[in-house]
Amino acid sequence: MSGKLRRLVCNRPSLRLLAKAPLTHTTGLISACFYSARVVYLEKERAVAIEAVERASRVCEAVFKRLVTDETLTKKDKSPVTVADFSAQAVVNSILEKYFPNDPIVGEEDSKDLLGEEGRVLREKVVELTNTAVNTPMTTEEVLQAIDRGQYAGGSTGRHWTLDPIDGTKGFLRGEQFAVCLALIIDGKVRLGVVGCPNLPYDMSQPEGEKGVLAVAVEEQGAFQRKLNVKDSLETPIFVSIVEDSCNASFCESVEAGHANHGDSAKIAELLGITKQSVRMDSQCKYIAVARGDADIYLRLPVDSKYVEKIWDHAAGNIIIQEAGGQVSDVNGEPLDFSQGRTLSANKGVIAANASIFDTVVEAVKATLSNKF
């Protein structure tokens, strides 16, 4: 970065920390300078999305403290995560409806399991927990209506939001990594992404240190992190790693074997010369780990030819990686296409990595999966 640009950054109080960024990330710095100097694109949407994700994250944490017990885990009872899913979706959707009443939402849940006498106990828990995170108490009907605002079909025109109220359900139940993920899609392209990670260390070099990260990115404005649910938390820029040789890289992989083919991952690692131990965690927290350089490569390899990824599982993480200086594609090297509706039907799997090694990773994946999908 030139001295002139560094002085420009240092003269803007909100951007002083950018001056410490690696020289390879000058583009992100320039974007951040413009971010500070103009009327900001999607400024209101960004602020509202952060509020929505923070409130939903608080709901999830409240559910875990109240409902998840050793007995729950022993019996593999998923009812707490069901309560959290519904409650978080109700909170986010109600906030989006307040500020953007004409924006449709592609959400993961609907209210059918909460209806009638069969759904009464679950419904009452959802309403109770939802009301711990909203300013004005919501009636049962209002909660159900908010949940059902997430039934939009998606598509290639106009604007809509996509929400995963809890990504990483098993991680949530274990008290490990899960995420609340919200993204804004305009004309088929992700323009804004926010991911709340309540259990992710703010600094991975101190895994037992302070936890709770919110990552946010807007198109052409860079990627940032802040402390989750900390009032007036300072946003700091995040960047992918600067590893230039794949043999020095590390994977960020799923804990759950059903979410990826670890055998194929091992073959890819061999082709890339990777010997470092993988960072394993659930949810879109993996995208955040790569976006801030905790790991270098994230692979979501197809487990069979029929499986299709959902847009809410990748939209927010996709833009955060890109704005942090990385690249994202499917296993064939094609960009993820969020214009197809509720799924990534035009794609198979996901590859994310820093730009220096991305092409090498794609070639290794292609060689390993040749003729499989």
Side-chain angles (χ1 to χ4, degrees):
M1 180 170 52
S2 71
K4 181 178 180 181
L5 178 55
R6 190 175 293 275
R7 286 193 297 275
L8 171 62
V9 170
C10 291
N11 286 335
R12 296 183 183 279
S14 62
L15 297 175
R16 282 174 185 152
L17 285 174
L18 287 171
K20 300 179 181 178
L23 298 179
T24 54
H25 299 305
T26 303
T27 300
L29 289 169
I30 293 172
S31 296
C33 287
F34 283 115
Y35 170 80
S36 177
R38 67 183 178 186
V39 175
V40 182
Y41 174 56
L42 298 179
E43 181 176 23
K44 179 180 178 181
E45 287 85 346
R46 187 183 194 274
V48 170
I50 288 172
E51 178 188 352
V53 168
E54 290 202 318
R55 287 180 181 269
S57 297
R58 288 202 292 270
V59 165
C60 294
E61 292 181 284
V63 171
F64 183 85
K65 290 176 181 177
R66 295 189 189 189
L67 301 181
V68 177
T69 64
D70 291 340
E71 183 179 4
T72 300
L73 298 177
T74 301
K75 294 182 177 180
K76 296 184 178 180
D77 178 7
K78 293 186 178 180
S79 60
V81 79
T82 303
V83 173
D85 257 327
F86 283 124
S87 300
Q89 182 154 317
V91 168
V92 172
N93 288 0
S94 65
I95 291 172
L96 293 179
E97 182 178 24
K98 176 181 177 181
Y99 291 100
F100 308 109
N102 297 321
D103 284 0
I105 304 166
V106 176
E108 189 175 12
E109 309 296 340
D110 63 57
S111 69
K112 64 179 184 296
D113 291 338
L114 302 178
L115 303 178
E117 183 58 28
E118 288 186 356
R120 180 180 60 81
V121 174
L122 181 58
R123 181 174 66 245
E124 289 176 352
K125 289 180 180 178
V126 169
V127 173
E128 177 188 357
L129 269 298
T130 297
N131 280 321
T132 65
V134 294
N135 291 329
T136 303
M138 298 173 66
T139 66
T140 297
E141 186 62 27
E142 287 171 336
V143 170
L144 298 179
Q145 287 177 353
I147 292 169
D148 285 335
R149 289 197 73 236
Q151 299 309 297
Y152 184 60
S156 60
T157 59
R159 51 184 269 161
H160 61 272
W161 299 83
T162 185
L163 167 68
D164 193 341
I166 289 191
D167 187 31
T169 55
K170 291 183 180 180
F172 171 80
L173 289 172
R174 291 194 301 265
E176 296 175 358
Q177 300 309 324
F178 72 96
V180 179
C181 311
L182 181 63
L184 176 62
I185 297 172
I186 302 176
D187 294 334
K189 185 175 180 181
V190 184
R191 314 287 180 169
L192 160 67
V194 179
V195 176
C197 307
N199 294 330
L200 188 67
Y202 192 76
D203 182 349
M204 282 293 280
S205 68
Q206 301 178 37
E208 301 306 316
E210 188 172 8
K211 292 181 172 63
V213 173
L214 183 139
V216 56
V218 176
E219 184 180 36
E220 298 184 1
Q221 294 178 19
F224 299 82
Q225 74 169 3
R226 59 193 286 173
K227 294 178 181 178
L228 183 65
N229 283 320
V230 174
K231 186 177 180 181
D232 299 324
S233 175
L234 175 67
E235 288 190 6
T236 58
I238 55 176
F239 303 99
V240 295
S241 73
I242 56 174
V243 167
E244 295 183 347
D245 190 327
S246 63
C247 68
N248 296 319
S250 61
F251 284 125
C252 191
E253 296 186 281
S254 297
V255 174
E256 298 298 326
H259 290 175
N261 189 322
H262 291 309
D264 284 338
S265 295
K267 293 177 183 177
I268 294 166
E270 184 177 359
L271 288 174
L272 295 172
I274 293 175
T275 58
K276 287 185 177 181
Q277 186 174 358
S278 295
V279 177
R280 294 198 182 275
M281 62 178 68
D282 298 288
S283 80
Q284 284 188 62
C285 290
K286 291 187 289 294
Y287 277 108
I288 309 311
V290 174
R292 63 184 194 172
D294 300 330
D296 311 292
I297 303 166
Y298 164 46
L299 300 179
R300 173 101 167 184
L301 302 179
V303 293
D304 61 56
S305 60
K306 296 181 180 179
Y307 184 75
V308 179
E309 301 286 348
K310 309 299 190 297
I311 65 170
W312 51 77
D313 284 325
H314 300 284
N318 176 80
I319 190 170
I320 290 171
I321 288 275
Q322 291 176 330
E323 289 297 314
Q327 292 180 244
V328 184
S329 75
D330 66 9
V331 296
N332 295 309
E334 297 297 324
L336 301 186
D337 184 353
F338 292 91
S339 71
Q340 299 297 306
R342 295 174 67 87
T343 68
L344 294 173
S345 59
N347 303 107
K348 284 290 181 185
V350 177
I351 300 171
N354 78 37
S356 298
I357 61 174
F358 180 79
D359 290 342
T360 303
V361 175
V362 171
E363 291 307 311
V365 171
K366 286 181 177 180
T368 301
L369 301 185
S370 178
N371 300 320
K372 279 192 175 185
F373 302 103

